[in-house]
Amino acid sequence: MKIYTKTIILTLIMAFVSIAVVSAATLVWDPSSGTVDGYNVYYGTSATNPGASVNVGDTTQYSIDSLPLSENVQYYICVSAYNAAGESNPSAPVAYTPADTTPPTPPVGLVAE
């Protein structure tokens, strides 16, 4: 009986550990006026100079989870519109800190008595 109990408990622990935590955050903005060919999302750790960018095409939303961001680091994100005539100034930045999505290590020292 104790052997089956240990096996069941260990199976439950392994099943619990394999469940992934999924978080999803999405940037959403109102479309720019005039002719818009697409948008660039800028991101970085500086509010005045985000630095990196990604072209998201002609959409007014983008999954933040698609950006290569580190957990527990505050980032500033802004959006600009572009067309054949050039690129707009960026929007006001928003702050975003990706949460820690690393699950804890499994407990040790488990015994069934």
Side-chain angles (χ1 to χ4, degrees), residues 18-95:
S18 68
I19 297 172
V21 176
V22 177
S23 66
T26 303
L27 292 170
V28 179
W29 59 92
D30 294 329
S32 295
S33 60
T35 302
V36 175
D37 293 333
Y39 296 92
N40 290 315
V41 172
Y42 290 89
Y43 61 97
T45 55
S46 168
T48 56
N49 186 16
S53 67
V54 60
N55 182 323
V56 299
D58 188 18
T59 183
T60 56
Q61 62 182 7
Y62 186 72
S63 171
I64 294 176
D65 297 333
S66 298
L67 299 173
L69 306 179
S70 299
E71 298 174 345
N72 296 320
V73 175
Q74 185 170 32
Y75 289 90
Y76 296 92
I77 303 170
C78 57
V79 177
S80 68
Y82 65 87
N83 63 19
E87 187 173 4
S88 72
N89 288 326
S91 65
V94 295

Side-chain angles (χ1 to χ4, degrees), residues 1-12 110-113:
M1 182 85 170
K2 285 189 177 184
I3 294 173
Y4 293 116
T5 304
K6 285 182 183 179
T7 303
I8 291 170
I9 291 172
L10 289 175
T11 302
L12 289 173
L110 178 66
V111 295
E113 297 178 359

